[in-house]
Amino acid sequence: MPDKAAQTLSNILSSLLKPLVFASKDDFAHLSTIKGLEGLVAALCMESACTDLPPEISRQIKELERIFKGFDGFVLDEKKGRIKRALEIVADIKEGVHFSPSPQMVEGVSDKGECGSAPLRPGAARNGAGLSAQSLSDALKDLKKLSTPLQYVKGIGPKFAARLEKKGLGTVEDVLYFLPIRYEDRRHIKRIKELTPGVSEVSTGEIMAVGETRYGRRKVFEAAVSDGSSVMGLKWFNYRLPYMKKKYRPGDRIIFYGPVSAFGHKKEIIHPDVEFVEPEAEAGARSEGIVPVYSQIENLHQKTLRRIVRGIVGAYAPYAIGCAPAGVMARRGFIGLKEAFIQAHMPEAMDDIPRIARKSLAFDELFSLELGLALKRRGIKKESGVAMEGGGVLEKKLLSLLPFELTRSQKRVIEEIRKDMASAHPMNRLIQGDVGSGKTVVSFIAMLVAIESGYQAAVMAPTEILAEQHFLTTRDYAERLGIKTALLTGATPAAERRKTLAAVKEGAVNLVIGTHALIQKDVEFKDLGLAVIDEQHRFGVVERAGLKKKGANGDISPDVLVMTATPIPRTLSMTVFGDLDVSIIDELPVGRKPVVTRLMREKDRAEAYRVIRDELKNGHQAYIVYPLVEESTELSLRDATRMKGHLEKDVFGEFNVGLMHGRMKGAEKESVMKAFRDKKLDILVSTTVIEVGVDVPNATVILIEHAERLGLAQLHQLRGRVGRGGARSVCILLAQYTPSTDTWQRLKVLEGTMDGFRIAEEDLRIRGPGDFIGTRQSGMPEFRAAEALSDLDLLKKAREEALAFLERYPELTAVNARIIKEILKSRWQDRLELAEIG
């Protein structure tokens, strides 16, 4: 056997022996603590398959894989017997092969600073931490190949690439991470009469008839499908009739999938997934084996999508380089990226293999993120900052002016901020507080510390309306404290802007409040000591970094305080905000009235409108929120544009109704919001763009349409638009039909509590971490592997491994760690401001 293959085999056996020996110690006393052995063995066996081994050894390794198949489900005695047999096989292999001495491996990292398992042959699954010094150049070339634009891939071209781009698929790497939403086992497509109610199944047949029918007051679009054995009903409750009639026609052959139910004496599927097949292709469909089903892209057929993805996986998966060291991946029961991509897109079985592949991709992505966050946090701690203690005089004056007492929670957070600001290193702290918890006054006190220490402070808000709100809220108090303030937005007149810029540069202005306008090149501060960023998830890394670079003298970083009203479960905070110190305000001010929340169905619409009318008659204002801007040809959902016309004409004709949505230009939105704030509009019809909006104390009722389509955290944010004055406020959640009882129960949570953190914990339990780690919610980058957002345990494991790796290689100077550095730069640098790894 060649020395290289022998070395690889030696490393594989060493990785396997460690848990086996530990499990068998002291008469198997530790066996119950061993988890994930099946996955580890499977990963190591896959790695051995990429190595040129003698047939007999390959057979023995296959035997090892068979021994541990389903290991976690065995009883204790069976586990003992299998571990003994595995130890015998390993001993036999070692006895028959002469291994040359190898460096001592510790947790997948050699004492030479090389990570992961042995070098792999060209084209094999590789991890960045498993590459040799000679392959550094090759690895960088491979990273470049993955960024190949799709228009240059054979069989795609510019026009087709433009269609894929609309789905966020711009490079071959994007396609590799475009994972199937599910799989269909077409080796055994059941006939309709064989389908089992209560189970999600796939079948095929011919559409016999289509049309709109009524079940009570409810309209339903139905297609009758037959395969000769029986007839089945496919039903849609949310649809556009012209679109459905055009799409589904008698005589079409289809493959359909979904949860089978029984209605009367007939089987049916509500809102099925449907794929059209040509008659001559139906037999071929049955021989396709296990078929991946992808998220729909325009009107592309699934067969076309599969062909494109299969070609890219075959051509480019061999160049995939993982960030997590191979030793870490194997120890955690995961496989390398090449094998993971192949198994995820072209699985050979419907067992755990696709699941392990997807988990492997997610773990690798999370490992790289956590490593990047740890590097960023470490870089911030090394930067030079300004020590600001202030004298406390301005704070005492402010507290005497406030008409309320600070809560204990606010006081605690202020002390945490004060301690950070007194340090010689920059503060990088997040204030996380529920809607109305008093984050603004806490941040204002931090500004007073900076100003009293001789520095300037700046507040950056995501919209002009919010910036103006901050300005109006603080100006009165600032003037009474002798503090000069200025407002700087895109709407600031040119002459006033020039005057403000000069005052800021000279230091005549202590506090500047604005929007993105603050980070423009012509904005210069004399001594910026504190940058406050409101609703930080609305800003990208570039904007946040731009404000930070305006720091005192340009060489010293200012303290940074970011705020969010999106509660993140405590169990997630450490992972999501790994680069920030987190402060939580978990009390509401005394006397704040809770918003009454009512969950209603379509049949209650008249009652919902009555509640709104009563509030309007009492001189108050209302929000009505819709999920869509305009009418959709595919979704039967109410939209803001169409409903605005209906409401002002047929429902609330005596009141003034305004419209706002995200497609409007900034000036238009500002104008509408100003009219609403000035009480020129009684009702504001809007999309979820008002989720973080202006403070309108006179708005006392909000109606949220299609509440079933929104997460609890987002609904809670929308609810926070009312209840900001002294009057009793109401939030109406109007939910349409949904076959899921879980959805209804999830919405009931909002009826029972105003605690944003409790709601966030419930959302985490029901929906997984995705809602909290997505770009929209927390400012974090998007993940390509969906499993990264659905498994809290996976997040924790990735964080543990990343921190342990960085502790071992703090500067990432080892040969293979340099590869990890390049992968980090490729994946996250632009999105996480990872200047430290440049």
Side-chain angles (χ1 to χ4, degrees):
M1 190 191 313
D3 288 345
K4 191 173 182 180
Q7 185 63 62
T8 300
L9 179 61
S10 174
N11 291 337
I12 290 172
L13 296 179
S14 296
S15 297
L16 180 57
L17 270 174
K18 188 176 179 181
L20 294 183
V21 171
F22 177 75
S24 62
K25 268 186 180 179
D26 303 323
D27 194 25
F28 295 92
H30 308 291
L31 181 54
S32 61
T33 66
I34 299 294
K35 304 292 181 186
L37 202 50
E38 179 183 351
L40 171 65
V41 174
L44 292 172
C45 289
M46 282 185 183
E47 190 172 332
S48 71
C50 299
T51 307
D52 188 16
L53 299 176
E56 177 58 18
I57 293 177
S58 295
R59 185 195 64 75
Q60 288 174 303
I61 287 178
K62 276 287 183 187
E63 175 67 10
L64 284 172
E65 187 173 14
R66 187 195 64 76
I67 286 172
F68 287 100
K69 186 76 172 175
F71 184 82
D72 286 343
F74 296 143
V75 296
L76 200 60
D77 286 341
E78 179 70 16
K79 287 182 177 181
K80 289 179 181 178
R82 292 190 176 236
I83 287 178
K84 287 177 181 177
R85 175 62 186 140
L87 287 169
E88 290 171 1
I89 291 174
V90 173
D92 287 344
I93 294 173
K94 282 195 157 192
E95 197 173 319
V97 180
H98 172 70
F99 292 117
S100 56
S102 63
Q104 178 64 32
M105 299 296 288
V106 182
E107 297 185 346
V109 182
S110 77
D111 56 7
K112 292 182 179 179
E114 299 193 358
C115 318
S117 53
L120 303 176
R121 64 176 175 78
R126 294 178 292 178
N127 287 73
L131 297 172
S132 64
Q134 289 79 13
S135 59
L136 174 59
S137 175
D138 291 339
L140 295 178
K141 289 177 183 176
D142 289 351
L143 281 174
K144 242 178 184 175
K145 286 177 182 175
L146 294 178
S147 62
T148 301
L150 290 178
Q151 69 181 71
Y152 300 119
V153 174
K154 187 178 179 182
I156 294 183
K159 288 185 179 178
F160 205 171
R163 296 174 71 185
L164 297 173
E165 181 69 44
K166 292 179 182 177
K167 193 74 172 180
L169 305 177
T171 67
V172 296
E173 187 175 38
D174 293 334
V175 173
L176 291 176
Y177 279 100
F178 184 57
L179 303 180
I181 55 175
R182 61 181 172 83
Y183 303 91
E184 289 179 1
D185 189 350
R186 294 188 180 173
R187 297 170 300 181
H188 313 289
I189 295 182
K190 289 184 178 180
R191 292 187 296 171
I192 290 175
K193 75 173 186 178
E194 298 169 338
L195 299 179
T196 306
V199 179
S200 291
E201 299 205 86
V202 61
S203 188
T204 183
E206 179 182 339
I207 297 177
M208 309 301 295
V210 297
E212 191 174 55
T213 57
R214 278 187 177 273
Y215 291 89
R217 296 168 58 187
R218 184 84 185 182
K219 287 183 179 180
V220 178
F221 185 84
E222 186 169 5
V225 180
S226 173
D227 65 349
S229 72
S230 184
V231 177
M232 180 152 198
L234 305 181
K235 294 180 179 178
W236 290 264
F237 288 91
N238 297 319
Y239 60 90
R240 299 294 303 166
L241 188 59
Y243 172 82
M244 297 297 279
K245 282 186 172 180
K246 184 178 179 182
K247 183 174 182 179
Y248 298 102
R249 296 175 179 175
D252 286 345
R253 304 290 304 183
I254 60 173
I255 292 175
F256 52 90
Y257 169 87
V260 180
S261 57
F263 184 75
H265 300 290
K266 189 171 68 173
K267 295 171 186 173
E268 65 180 22
I269 296 179
I270 309 295
H271 290 282
D273 287 343
V274 176
E275 182 178 337
F276 290 86
V277 293
E278 298 297 328
E280 62 271 16
E282 189 169 349
R286 290 180 179 273
S287 64
E288 284 184 273
I290 298 166
V291 173
V293 178
Y294 296 94
S295 174
Q296 193 62 42
I297 300 178
E298 293 186 337
N299 58 351
L300 282 181
H301 289 292
Q302 282 288 323
K303 185 173 286 185
T304 304
L305 272 177
R306 285 195 286 271
R307 176 182 57 77
I308 292 169
V309 174
R310 192 179 294 118
I312 287 175
V313 170
Y316 291 94
Y319 301 114
I321 304 173
C323 187
V328 169
M329 295 289 281
R331 183 171 63 253
R332 292 291 187 174
F334 299 123
I335 57 179
L337 258 64
K338 175 199 172 184
E339 193 61 37
F341 283 129
I342 292 172
Q343 290 295 345
H345 290 287
M346 298 178 282
E348 298 171 354
M350 290 288 280
D351 55 15
D352 274 353
I353 292 179
R355 185 183 64 83
I356 292 171
R358 298 168 76 101
K359 290 279 187 185
S360 299
L361 295 171
F363 181 85
D364 181 76
E365 203 169 10
L366 286 168
F367 178 92
S368 68
L369 171 70
E370 292 298 340
L371 195 60
L373 287 173
L375 283 166
K376 182 179 178 184
R377 184 185 181 96
R378 188 184 67 184
I380 291 167
K381 296 299 181 186
K382 286 182 178 181
E383 292 175 1
S384 297
V386 291
M388 298 180 286
E389 296 187 24
V393 176
L394 291 178
E395 180 182 344
K396 287 177 185 175
K397 283 185 180 179
L398 174 67
L399 294 178
S400 69
L401 295 173
L402 293 175
F404 54 83
E405 287 280 332
L406 296 182
T407 64
R408 286 172 301 176
S409 188
Q410 286 173 310
K411 291 175 182 176
R412 185 190 69 247
V413 172
I414 289 168
E415 282 307 308
E416 291 169 351
I417 292 170
R418 199 192 307 279
K419 192 176 293 183
D420 280 357
M421 294 183 74
S423 167
H425 300 291
M427 171 174 69
N428 202 44
R429 184 169 290 277
L430 170 80
I431 302 179
Q432 191 186 343
D434 213 339
V435 176
S437 60
K439 298 181 297 295
T440 302
V441 70
V442 169
S443 67
F444 188 46
I445 289 173
M447 296 175 218
L448 295 182
V449 173
I451 292 167
E452 201 168 0
S453 299
Y455 293 93
Q456 293 166 296
V459 180
M460 186 163 70
T463 66
E464 290 185 7
I465 287 288
L466 273 177
E468 185 177 343
Q469 177 184 314
H470 273 295
F471 180 69
L472 294 174
T473 302
T474 58
R475 183 179 58 181
D476 181 50
Y477 289 110
E479 287 178 351
R480 293 158 76 181
L481 295 172
I483 294 171
K484 299 293 184 184
T485 59
L487 178 66
L488 193 61
T489 70
T492 304
E496 186 181 335
R497 177 183 172 81
R498 286 193 296 271
K499 185 178 176 182
T500 300
L501 290 178
V504 171
K505 186 175 181 180
E506 293 165 6
V509 170
N510 309 113
L511 172 59
V512 188
I513 298 169
T515 56
H516 299 73
L518 290 179
I519 60 173
Q520 292 177 1
K521 287 184 178 180
D522 60 350
V523 180
E524 295 180 48
F525 290 84
K526 182 182 180 184
D527 285 302
L528 179 62
L530 174 66
V532 178
I533 300 169
D534 190 23
E535 298 303 342
Q536 59 97 27
H537 63 275
R538 294 298 179 103
F539 291 105
V541 168
V542 175
E543 289 93 341
R544 295 200 294 266
L547 186 56
K548 187 177 175 182
K549 288 173 183 174
K550 302 282 185 181
N553 303 318
D555 298 323
I556 300 175
S557 296
D559 286 349
V560 175
L561 191 63
V562 295
M563 301 191 292
T564 181
T566 302
I568 304 293
R570 292 168 179 83
T571 46
L572 264 185
S573 290
M574 186 63 74
T575 297
V576 176
F577 299 119
D579 61 322
L580 296 169
D581 296 306
V582 180
S583 290
I584 298 175
I585 302 177
D586 50 13
E587 291 178 85
L588 288 179
V590 178
R592 183 73 183 268
K593 292 182 180 179
V595 177
V596 176
T597 304
R598 298 177 61 182
L599 180 56
M600 298 185 181
R601 296 186 187 270
E602 179 60 33
K603 62 183 177 64
D604 306 312
R605 178 172 294 279
E607 168 64 8
Y609 287 162
R610 184 197 64 77
V611 173
I612 293 173
R613 186 179 301 280
D614 287 348
E615 290 297 318
L616 297 178
K617 284 181 177 178
N618 287 330
H620 296 137
Q621 294 165 279
Y623 296 99
I624 301 181
V625 181
Y626 296 91
L628 299 179
V629 176
E630 296 173 339
E631 186 176 9
S632 168
T633 57
E634 297 185 24
L635 299 173
S636 179
L637 301 178
R638 288 179 170 82
D639 62 275
T641 304
R642 193 163 49 96
M643 287 303 295
K644 187 257 185 182
H646 166 68
L647 290 170
E648 67 181 348
K649 180 182 177 183
D650 302 324
V651 184
F652 299 109
E654 69 272 38
F655 298 103
N656 294 321
V657 182
L659 173 67
M660 190 173 78
H661 53 74
R663 293 184 191 172
M664 295 167 67
K665 293 179 180 178
E668 290 179 279
K669 284 190 283 188
E670 302 298 335
S671 175
V672 172
M673 283 306 301
K674 189 175 188 305
F676 188 61
R677 187 182 60 203
D678 294 343
K679 302 182 184 179
K680 293 177 182 177
L681 295 174
D682 302 299
I683 300 173
L684 181 61
V685 175
S686 174
T687 58
T688 56
V689 71
I690 64 154
E691 179 186 346
V692 177
V694 71
D695 186 353
V696 181
N698 193 52
T700 58
V701 60
I702 182 168
L703 168 63
I704 305 172
E705 293 265 11
H706 297 289
E708 76 283 357
R709 302 182 71 86
L710 303 176
L712 293 184
Q714 188 174 16
L715 288 170
H716 180 60
Q717 289 298 299
L718 289 167
R719 175 169 65 178
R721 294 311 98 214
V722 296
R724 307 180 79 86
R728 169 187 174 276
S729 295
V730 181
C731 171
I732 301 170
L733 305 176
L734 193 58
Q736 299 300 311
Y737 169 81
T738 170
S740 169
T741 55
D742 287 346
T743 300
W744 189 255
Q745 290 303 314
R746 181 172 63 84
L747 293 174
K748 293 286 285 183
V749 171
L750 286 164
E751 274 192 321
T753 183
M754 281 290 293
D755 185 342
F757 289 98
R758 182 180 158 197
I759 290 166
E761 292 286 357
E762 186 68 13
D763 228 7
L764 174 65
R765 184 186 69 79
I766 295 170
R767 294 157 66 96
D771 273 2
F772 306 100
I773 307 181
T775 304
R776 185 186 62 78
Q777 288 290 357
S778 64
M780 298 297 289
E782 293 182 33
F783 291 88
R784 277 97 51 103
E787 277 72 5
L789 305 182
S790 62
D791 190 335
L792 186 58
D793 188 50
L794 198 67
L795 281 167
K796 291 176 179 176
K797 287 176 180 175
R799 179 175 173 79
E800 288 170 9
E801 293 288 1
L803 294 180
F805 180 79
L806 194 58
E807 187 175 344
R808 187 176 294 275
Y809 300 103
E811 302 302 327
L812 296 187
T813 52
V815 170
N816 293 323
R818 288 167 60 194
I819 303 295
I820 290 183
K821 182 185 291 190
E822 293 302 324
I823 296 171
L824 276 175
K825 288 168 69 175
S826 169
R827 289 185 183 178
W828 303 114
Q829 181 150 324
D830 290 342
R831 291 180 279 179
L832 280 181
E833 194 194 346
L834 298 182
E836 174 66 22
I837 66 168

